[in-house]
Amino acid sequence: MGYFICATSDVADDVLDLCQKVCAPTFRYQEVPPTLRATALDCWALLSTTISDAYLAGDGEGRGLIILPLLLDCLNHSNLDLRCAAGEAVALIHEARLDLGIDEDEGENASERRFRRGSWDGTEWEILMDEVKQRVTELSVESGKHMSKKDKKDQRKTFREFTTTIVDDEPPCEVITFRGGQLTLESWREVIQLNFIRHCLQSGFQTQLMTNPTLHSIFNM
């Protein structure tokens, strides 16, 4: 959270590199526990909300494109937290990819630019993303006996939200009510940021949301 609020772009880049290494199966010649991998992915996603769409999902420079094969591997892991962290990261990357195709100009040229820049079609990532979409869809309806009833319910709910963006290309929509108003979140960038802040602040979340100018600036309140 300190890096999210205070870090310069160069420092955040270094921390993103570290998070990416820690969320791999092994780090410094040792196996990384799934819970730590999930935490590293959560931190990676949070800091990735601070970088541009092009740097996250653009051809040639997108950090998210580099990590996509690892995210697919995480989606197939037995650990629920790791699967959920990977799904959220993919939703963020896919959202950024879609946003790259949005152009203020109208007409045929704008439509063509959207297909080229905002789509996975015809790129080297198309087949991989098809596999990701299939896996996310499977997780949104999974009912295997190897999971507890609560875990199955949580996974289906969570991955239905991811599927809305990753498969259906629709943004999330979450409304946060607090004393004195409401905050509507309509992107994974905002959802990830707010969920992380809420996790850090715990019982102080509502008070900070009402009075903290830094949070007001982050969410344009």
Side-chain angles (χ1 to χ4, degrees), residues 139-140 152-162:
L139 291 170
S140 71
K152 281 187 287 189
K153 181 180 179 180
D154 290 345
Q155 176 177 282
R156 287 197 294 265
K157 178 181 182 298
T158 300
F159 276 88
R160 279 197 296 268
E161 295 172 356
F162 298 154

Side-chain angles (χ1 to χ4, degrees), residues 160-181:
R160 279 197 296 268
E161 295 172 356
F162 298 154
T163 300
T164 299
T165 296
I166 298 170
V167 178
D168 300 330
D169 296 343
E170 296 292 333
C173 184
E174 183 174 343
V175 178
I176 306 298
T177 302
F178 57 94
R179 277 187 297 171

